[in-house]
Amino acid sequence: MKLHVSSRLAIFALLELAARPEQQLSVAEIGEKYGVSSHHLAKVMHVLGRAGLVRSARGAGGGYQFSGNARRMTLLDVILLFETLESQNHDPAVGELSEEGHALREVMSEIDDIIRATLGSITIATLHKLVRRQRERRPRRTAAAS
Amino acid sequence: MRKRRHSPPPDSPPEAALQGDSWQVVRIRAGDVADVIRLDHRVTGLAKPDYWRDMFERYGRRRLGERMFLVAKTVGPGTLPDVLGFIVGEVRAWEFGSAPCGWVLALSVEPQARLRGIGKALLGALAAEFKKAGVNKMRTMVARDNQLHLLFFRSEEMMAGPYIELEKELD
């Protein structure tokens, strides 16, 4: 499964903002870290704002601030703002109505269910812990490689 | 701070890590089984007294170096039940080719006492017992639609393991 770029940017932005809930970060500051244009990220932030996950402040020191609950907000909640997972796509696929199509659908549903359960069980706070773990492992990996 | 309210059985490892001002994690005793049965009934909606009595015999009394049945118990007076949560675990080896590993077999926390770190403390205490038993990995199985448990174990940084559970309806 490959996430839409908007979903990825939304998750990254929420990670940044949730790490500093008292601070406001500009689109440019977040975009710089991930090497993405402010234009694309601004659209993503607008969607997150409409969903009540971030709030914006105008003016010179303006930016975005986290307004969700990092321990409750799952990756699935965020991703569904930007894309539909395969299991929710009801457009008939080629051969869908045949017995073979039904059998194949059963197998693909298994995968979809696992994807939904996985994304629905990882909160922004949990992903933060995983980021920290990566950070702790990286120096060890770098040291081992040198 | 470690508190000890009773001496563990001679063949038992020391009591688990204890946390919280008003509760502590200890090995189960016979007098706790009725509370475990009631808590499980409240949480699952199913009464399984025979199952839990059998679990106590197997995990609370025998082979205590590799089997753990821990409870979070209220300390002092209060309105909450005596047993606020429990966890059951076992070190198992070589099933499905798996090297020795600690299995979390059951975990439950009193609904009125959630969000106080009791589940985390129970899991932490069990992990400490697993380490004492010589294993460095723990594993559990959660229903895909049990979001409460999935969120909890994920928040404890547990990730998908190398096994896939398969099943089949028997005709």
Side-chain angles (χ1 to χ4, degrees):
Chain A
M1 183 200 176
K2 195 172 178 186
L3 287 180
H4 191 281
V5 65
S6 297
S7 299
R8 293 176 63 86
L9 289 178
I11 291 166
F12 293 151
L14 289 169
L15 278 172
E16 295 297 324
L17 295 170
R20 308 163 189 82
E22 305 306 318
Q23 280 181 33
Q24 290 178 4
L25 290 177
S26 69
V27 165
E29 283 172 301
I30 300 168
E32 193 181 1
K33 177 168 177 179
Y34 297 99
V36 292
S37 75
S38 294
H39 179 69
H40 193 162
L41 192 53
K43 286 183 181 171
V44 168
M45 298 309 290
H46 181 68
V47 175
L48 295 178
R50 263 196 337 224
L53 307 187
V54 299
R55 62 172 161 262
S56 63
R58 296 178 193 282
Y64 284 93
Q65 200 169 7
F66 187 70
S67 60
N69 182 342
R71 294 180 64 188
R72 289 281 172 268
M73 189 190 301
T74 70
L75 300 189
L76 186 65
D77 297 332
V78 179
I79 290 164
L80 289 179
L81 295 173
F82 298 93
E83 57 190 295
T84 306
L85 293 182
E86 198 58 37
S87 56
Q88 290 184 317
N89 186 351
H90 296 300
D91 292 342
V94 175
E96 180 93 347
L97 299 178
S98 65
E99 287 168 357
E100 291 81 356
H102 281 297
L104 184 58
R105 179 84 193 154
E106 198 177 338
V107 174
M108 300 313 289
S109 293
E110 220 180 80
I111 296 168
D112 288 344
D113 288 349
I114 292 170
I115 289 172
R116 290 182 71 82
T118 302
L119 295 173
S121 69
I122 309 270
T123 63
I124 293 294
T126 297
L127 193 59
H128 239 295
K129 290 182 184 173
L130 300 180
V131 171
R132 224 173 24 235
R133 200 163 72 178
Q134 289 292 327
R135 212 169 276 152
E136 286 162 7
R137 281 178 185 167
R138 184 162 280 177
R140 271 184 266 153
R141 278 203 297 259
T142 311
S146 60
Chain B
M1 187 175 78
R2 286 178 74 88
K3 302 172 190 170
R4 288 181 186 274
R5 304 196 87 202
H6 62 262
S7 299
D11 54 345
S12 152
E15 282 184 358
L18 309 170
Q19 295 184 24
D21 293 334
S22 56
W23 47 271
Q24 59 182 8
V25 177
V26 292
R27 279 197 178 256
I28 192 170
R29 309 201 104 190
D32 301 324
V33 177
D35 282 336
V36 166
I37 292 169
R38 277 193 289 272
L39 171 56
D40 176 64
H41 189 182
R42 275 199 301 282
V43 170
T44 67
L46 288 172
K48 313 177 214 53
D50 294 344
Y51 171 76
W52 288 114
R53 282 188 203 110
D54 181 54
M55 286 292 276
F56 172 66
E57 289 302 322
R58 289 189 289 138
Y59 290 87
R61 279 192 160 144
R62 279 186 254 148
R63 294 164 61 187
L64 297 181
E66 62 204 58
R67 292 177 176 179
M68 300 91 190
F69 197 150
L70 309 178
V71 288
K73 292 194 75 174
T74 306
V75 176
T79 54
L80 289 169
D82 276 353
V83 170
L84 297 176
F86 63 85
I87 193 164
V88 184
E90 181 177 16
V91 175
R92 300 175 82 148
W94 310 123
E95 285 137 330
F96 316 108
S98 164
C101 171
W103 272 87
V104 183
L105 303 175
L107 169 66
S108 191
V109 174
E110 165 63 42
Q112 301 174 64
R114 286 183 185 160
L115 301 175
R116 296 182 190 192
I118 294 172
K120 187 179 179 68
L122 284 164
L123 191 66
L126 184 62
E129 295 294 334
F130 285 153
K131 276 189 185 169
K132 264 188 263 173
V135 295
N136 57 11
K137 194 184 283 281
M138 69 178 170
R139 180 177 289 156
T140 193
M141 195 155 68
V142 186
R144 276 204 290 259
D145 60 359
N146 187 343
Q147 212 196 9
L148 184 70
H149 275 177
L150 273 175
L151 284 165
F152 171 72
F153 285 119
R154 288 294 202 172
S155 75
E156 292 299 309
E157 300 178 54
M158 290 182 77
M159 304 294 284
Y163 294 90
I164 294 177
E165 178 253 342
L166 299 173
E167 63 184 31
K168 180 185 177 183
E169 295 289 338
L170 298 177
D171 300 328

mmCIF file of all heavy atoms in Angstrom, chain B residues 132-157:
data_model
loop_
_atom_site.group_PDB
_atom_site.id
_atom_site.type_symbol
_atom_site.label_atom_id
_atom_site.label_comp_id
_atom_site.label_asym_id
_atom_site.label_seq_id
_atom_site.Cartn_x
_atom_site.Cartn_y
_atom_site.Cartn_z
ATOM 1 N N LYS B 132 13.434 -11.686 33.682
ATOM 2 C CA LYS B 132 14.024 -12.513 34.737
ATOM 3 C C LYS B 132 14.054 -13.974 34.308
ATOM 4 O O LYS B 132 14.943 -14.727 34.675
ATOM 5 C CB LYS B 132 13.220 -12.378 36.037
ATOM 6 C CG LYS B 132 13.794 -11.354 36.985
ATOM 7 C CD LYS B 132 13.083 -11.419 38.308
ATOM 8 C CE LYS B 132 12.001 -10.365 38.349
ATOM 9 N NZ LYS B 132 11.153 -10.462 39.531
ATOM 10 N N ALA B 133 13.045 -14.355 33.523
ATOM 11 C CA ALA B 133 12.968 -15.747 33.055
ATOM 12 C C ALA B 133 13.911 -15.994 31.879
ATOM 13 O O ALA B 133 13.989 -17.119 31.377
ATOM 14 C CB ALA B 133 11.533 -16.079 32.659
ATOM 15 N N GLY B 134 14.572 -14.944 31.399
ATOM 16 C CA GLY B 134 15.606 -15.127 30.386
ATOM 17 C C GLY B 134 15.175 -14.872 28.954
ATOM 18 O O GLY B 134 15.923 -15.212 28.028
ATOM 19 N N VAL B 135 14.001 -14.294 28.739
ATOM 20 C CA VAL B 135 13.611 -14.003 27.357
ATOM 21 C C VAL B 135 13.678 -12.492 27.106
ATOM 22 O O VAL B 135 13.583 -11.697 28.034
ATOM 23 C CB VAL B 135 12.190 -14.527 27.010
ATOM 24 C CG1 VAL B 135 12.149 -16.023 27.073
ATOM 25 C CG2 VAL B 135 11.124 -13.909 27.903
ATOM 26 N N ASN B 136 13.869 -12.125 25.865
ATOM 27 C CA ASN B 136 13.994 -10.697 25.548
ATOM 28 C C ASN B 136 12.956 -10.232 24.534
ATOM 29 O O ASN B 136 13.136 -9.217 23.879
ATOM 30 C CB ASN B 136 15.409 -10.364 25.058
ATOM 31 C CG ASN B 136 15.789 -11.203 23.863
ATOM 32 O OD1 ASN B 136 14.935 -11.875 23.280
ATOM 33 N ND2 ASN B 136 17.055 -11.181 23.493
ATOM 34 N N LYS B 137 11.904 -11.016 24.401
ATOM 35 C CA LYS B 137 10.832 -10.604 23.485
ATOM 36 C C LYS B 137 9.496 -11.020 24.078
ATOM 37 O O LYS B 137 9.409 -12.076 24.710
ATOM 38 C CB LYS B 137 11.033 -11.303 22.136
ATOM 39 C CG LYS B 137 10.187 -10.703 21.000
ATOM 40 C CD LYS B 137 10.363 -11.516 19.721
ATOM 41 C CE LYS B 137 11.660 -11.245 19.010
ATOM 42 N NZ LYS B 137 11.660 -10.019 18.229
ATOM 43 N N MET B 138 8.478 -10.164 23.902
ATOM 44 C CA MET B 138 7.148 -10.599 24.314
ATOM 45 C C MET B 138 6.175 -10.410 23.155
ATOM 46 O O MET B 138 6.393 -9.595 22.259
ATOM 47 C CB MET B 138 6.659 -9.909 25.580
ATOM 48 C CG MET B 138 6.351 -8.477 25.501
ATOM 49 S SD MET B 138 5.744 -7.966 27.140
ATOM 50 C CE MET B 138 5.729 -6.204 26.931
ATOM 51 N N ARG B 139 5.103 -11.178 23.224
ATOM 52 C CA ARG B 139 4.206 -11.296 22.078
ATOM 53 C C ARG B 139 2.782 -11.454 22.607
ATOM 54 O O ARG B 139 2.564 -11.983 23.693
ATOM 55 C CB ARG B 139 4.642 -12.568 21.341
ATOM 56 C CG ARG B 139 3.884 -12.934 20.126
ATOM 57 C CD ARG B 139 4.510 -14.184 19.497
ATOM 58 N NE ARG B 139 5.799 -13.898 18.886
ATOM 59 C CZ ARG B 139 6.748 -14.799 18.685
ATOM 60 N NH1 ARG B 139 6.573 -16.059 19.044
ATOM 61 N NH2 ARG B 139 7.887 -14.469 18.103
ATOM 62 N N THR B 140 1.833 -10.991 21.822
ATOM 63 C CA THR B 140 0.439 -11.244 22.182
ATOM 64 C C THR B 140 -0.386 -11.369 20.912
ATOM 65 O O THR B 140 0.137 -11.209 19.807
ATOM 66 C CB THR B 140 -0.116 -10.133 23.105
ATOM 67 O OG1 THR B 140 -1.359 -10.561 23.661
ATOM 68 C CG2 THR B 140 -0.344 -8.824 22.367
ATOM 69 N N MET B 141 -1.657 -11.647 21.059
ATOM 70 C CA MET B 141 -2.561 -11.745 19.920
ATOM 71 C C MET B 141 -3.801 -10.930 20.274
ATOM 72 O O MET B 141 -4.328 -11.038 21.377
ATOM 73 C CB MET B 141 -2.929 -13.207 19.684
ATOM 74 C CG MET B 141 -3.556 -13.440 18.351
ATOM 75 S SD MET B 141 -3.322 -15.148 17.804
ATOM 76 C CE MET B 141 -4.313 -16.029 18.969
ATOM 77 N N VAL B 142 -4.227 -10.086 19.353
ATOM 78 C CA VAL B 142 -5.370 -9.196 19.609
ATOM 79 C C VAL B 142 -6.342 -9.310 18.447
ATOM 80 O O VAL B 142 -5.919 -9.335 17.287
ATOM 81 C CB VAL B 142 -4.903 -7.719 19.726
ATOM 82 C CG1 VAL B 142 -6.066 -6.821 20.137
ATOM 83 C CG2 VAL B 142 -3.767 -7.574 20.707
ATOM 84 N N ALA B 143 -7.620 -9.353 18.755
ATOM 85 C CA ALA B 143 -8.622 -9.374 17.680
ATOM 86 C C ALA B 143 -8.515 -8.066 16.888
ATOM 87 O O ALA B 143 -8.325 -7.002 17.475
ATOM 88 C CB ALA B 143 -10.019 -9.519 18.262
ATOM 89 N N ARG B 144 -8.633 -8.184 15.556
ATOM 90 C CA ARG B 144 -8.471 -6.997 14.714
ATOM 91 C C ARG B 144 -9.475 -5.897 15.053
ATOM 92 O O ARG B 144 -9.216 -4.723 14.844
ATOM 93 C CB ARG B 144 -8.639 -7.375 13.236
ATOM 94 C CG ARG B 144 -7.394 -7.913 12.595
ATOM 95 C CD ARG B 144 -7.443 -7.708 11.098
ATOM 96 N NE ARG B 144 -8.428 -8.574 10.476
ATOM 97 C CZ ARG B 144 -8.121 -9.699 9.834
ATOM 98 N NH1 ARG B 144 -6.867 -10.075 9.738
ATOM 99 N NH2 ARG B 144 -9.045 -10.424 9.271
ATOM 100 N N ASP B 145 -10.647 -6.280 15.566
ATOM 101 C CA ASP B 145 -11.652 -5.260 15.862
ATOM 102 C C ASP B 145 -11.611 -4.803 17.329
ATOM 103 O O ASP B 145 -12.456 -4.028 17.757
ATOM 104 C CB ASP B 145 -13.060 -5.757 15.497
ATOM 105 C CG ASP B 145 -13.444 -7.022 16.264
ATOM 106 O OD1 ASP B 145 -12.615 -7.518 17.050
ATOM 107 O OD2 ASP B 145 -14.571 -7.511 16.072
ATOM 108 N N ASN B 146 -10.632 -5.282 18.082
ATOM 109 C CA ASN B 146 -10.513 -4.856 19.480
ATOM 110 C C ASN B 146 -9.593 -3.635 19.543
ATOM 111 O O ASN B 146 -8.411 -3.734 19.857
ATOM 112 C CB ASN B 146 -9.956 -6.006 20.329
ATOM 113 C CG ASN B 146 -9.963 -5.674 21.817
ATOM 114 O OD1 ASN B 146 -10.081 -4.510 22.199
ATOM 115 N ND2 ASN B 146 -9.835 -6.685 22.640
ATOM 116 N N GLN B 147 -10.174 -2.476 19.213
ATOM 117 C CA GLN B 147 -9.334 -1.290 19.074
ATOM 118 C C GLN B 147 -8.727 -0.851 20.403
ATOM 119 O O GLN B 147 -7.611 -0.346 20.433
ATOM 120 C CB GLN B 147 -10.120 -0.143 18.436
ATOM 121 C CG GLN B 147 -9.187 0.716 17.591
ATOM 122 C CD GLN B 147 -9.749 2.058 17.220
ATOM 123 O OE1 GLN B 147 -10.788 2.489 17.708
ATOM 124 N NE2 GLN B 147 -9.060 2.741 16.345
ATOM 125 N N LEU B 148 -9.452 -1.075 21.493
ATOM 126 C CA LEU B 148 -8.939 -0.683 22.810
ATOM 127 C C LEU B 148 -7.596 -1.377 23.103
ATOM 128 O O LEU B 148 -6.608 -0.738 23.455
ATOM 129 C CB LEU B 148 -9.968 -1.038 23.891
ATOM 130 C CG LEU B 148 -9.628 -0.598 25.299
ATOM 131 C CD1 LEU B 148 -9.720 0.915 25.436
ATOM 132 C CD2 LEU B 148 -10.553 -1.270 26.312
ATOM 133 N N HIS B 149 -7.582 -2.698 22.936
ATOM 134 C CA HIS B 149 -6.349 -3.441 23.196
ATOM 135 C C HIS B 149 -5.280 -3.140 22.149
ATOM 136 O O HIS B 149 -4.100 -3.031 22.470
ATOM 137 C CB HIS B 149 -6.636 -4.947 23.244
ATOM 138 C CG HIS B 149 -7.090 -5.408 24.602
ATOM 139 N ND1 HIS B 149 -7.454 -6.700 24.867
ATOM 140 C CD2 HIS B 149 -7.220 -4.735 25.767
ATOM 141 C CE1 HIS B 149 -7.788 -6.806 26.149
ATOM 142 N NE2 HIS B 149 -7.663 -5.633 26.715
ATOM 143 N N LEU B 150 -5.717 -3.001 20.892
ATOM 144 C CA LEU B 150 -4.733 -2.695 19.841
ATOM 145 C C LEU B 150 -4.053 -1.357 20.127
ATOM 146 O O LEU B 150 -2.822 -1.253 20.053
ATOM 147 C CB LEU B 150 -5.423 -2.625 18.477
ATOM 148 C CG LEU B 150 -5.569 -3.933 17.704
ATOM 149 C CD1 LEU B 150 -6.381 -3.705 16.435
ATOM 150 C CD2 LEU B 150 -4.217 -4.516 17.342
ATOM 151 N N LEU B 151 -4.855 -0.351 20.464
ATOM 152 C CA LEU B 151 -4.274 0.970 20.756
ATOM 153 C C LEU B 151 -3.322 0.892 21.939
ATOM 154 O O LEU B 151 -2.257 1.493 21.940
ATOM 155 C CB LEU B 151 -5.389 1.981 21.053
ATOM 156 C CG LEU B 151 -6.164 2.511 19.848
ATOM 157 C CD1 LEU B 151 -7.437 3.201 20.301
ATOM 158 C CD2 LEU B 151 -5.321 3.481 19.030
ATOM 159 N N PHE B 152 -3.717 0.116 22.958
ATOM 160 C CA PHE B 152 -2.874 0.008 24.146
ATOM 161 C C PHE B 152 -1.533 -0.661 23.813
ATOM 162 O O PHE B 152 -0.465 -0.123 24.114
ATOM 163 C CB PHE B 152 -3.583 -0.779 25.253
ATOM 164 C CG PHE B 152 -2.661 -1.092 26.391
ATOM 165 C CD1 PHE B 152 -2.245 -0.087 27.247
ATOM 166 C CD2 PHE B 152 -2.157 -2.366 26.565
ATOM 167 C CE1 PHE B 152 -1.344 -0.354 28.269
ATOM 168 C CE2 PHE B 152 -1.254 -2.639 27.587
ATOM 169 C CZ PHE B 152 -0.851 -1.632 28.443
ATOM 170 N N PHE B 153 -1.595 -1.835 23.191
ATOM 171 C CA PHE B 153 -0.336 -2.544 22.920
ATOM 172 C C PHE B 153 0.538 -1.765 21.931
ATOM 173 O O PHE B 153 1.759 -1.753 22.043
ATOM 174 C CB PHE B 153 -0.614 -3.959 22.389
ATOM 175 C CG PHE B 153 -1.071 -4.906 23.461
ATOM 176 C CD1 PHE B 153 -2.312 -5.513 23.399
ATOM 177 C CD2 PHE B 153 -0.266 -5.202 24.544
ATOM 178 C CE1 PHE B 153 -2.746 -6.384 24.385
ATOM 179 C CE2 PHE B 153 -0.679 -6.070 25.549
ATOM 180 C CZ PHE B 153 -1.925 -6.665 25.466
ATOM 181 N N ARG B 154 -0.100 -1.090 20.971
ATOM 182 C CA ARG B 154 0.674 -0.262 20.039
ATOM 183 C C ARG B 154 1.340 0.886 20.785
ATOM 184 O O ARG B 154 2.471 1.250 20.480
ATOM 185 C CB ARG B 154 -0.242 0.303 18.954
ATOM 186 C CG ARG B 154 -0.718 -0.717 17.954
ATOM 187 C CD ARG B 154 0.421 -1.240 17.133
ATOM 188 N NE ARG B 154 -0.040 -1.804 15.881
ATOM 189 C CZ ARG B 154 0.765 -2.192 14.908
ATOM 190 N NH1 ARG B 154 2.071 -2.094 15.048
ATOM 191 N NH2 ARG B 154 0.279 -2.708 13.812
ATOM 192 N N SER B 155 0.613 1.486 21.741
ATOM 193 C CA SER B 155 1.193 2.613 22.485
ATOM 194 C C SER B 155 2.386 2.144 23.317
ATOM 195 O O SER B 155 3.220 2.948 23.715
ATOM 196 C CB SER B 155 0.151 3.278 23.377
ATOM 197 O OG SER B 155 -0.103 2.477 24.517
ATOM 198 N N GLU B 156 2.440 0.849 23.571
ATOM 199 C CA GLU B 156 3.593 0.276 24.279
ATOM 200 C C GLU B 156 4.668 -0.165 23.290
ATOM 201 O O GLU B 156 5.553 -0.955 23.621
ATOM 202 C CB GLU B 156 3.143 -0.900 25.145
ATOM 203 C CG GLU B 156 2.270 -0.466 26.323
ATOM 204 C CD GLU B 156 3.002 0.479 27.261
ATOM 205 O OE1 GLU B 156 4.117 0.149 27.667
ATOM 206 O OE2 GLU B 156 2.447 1.560 27.553
ATOM 207 N N GLU B 157 4.539 0.321 22.067
ATOM 208 C CA GLU B 157 5.531 0.106 20.993
ATOM 209 C C GLU B 157 5.619 -1.342 20.536
ATOM 210 O O GLU B 157 6.662 -1.785 20.065
ATOM 211 C CB GLU B 157 6.903 0.645 21.395
ATOM 212 C CG GLU B 157 6.868 2.141 21.683
ATOM 213 C CD GLU B 157 8.193 2.709 22.128
ATOM 214 O OE1 GLU B 157 9.182 2.510 21.409
ATOM 215 O OE2 GLU B 157 8.232 3.326 23.199
#
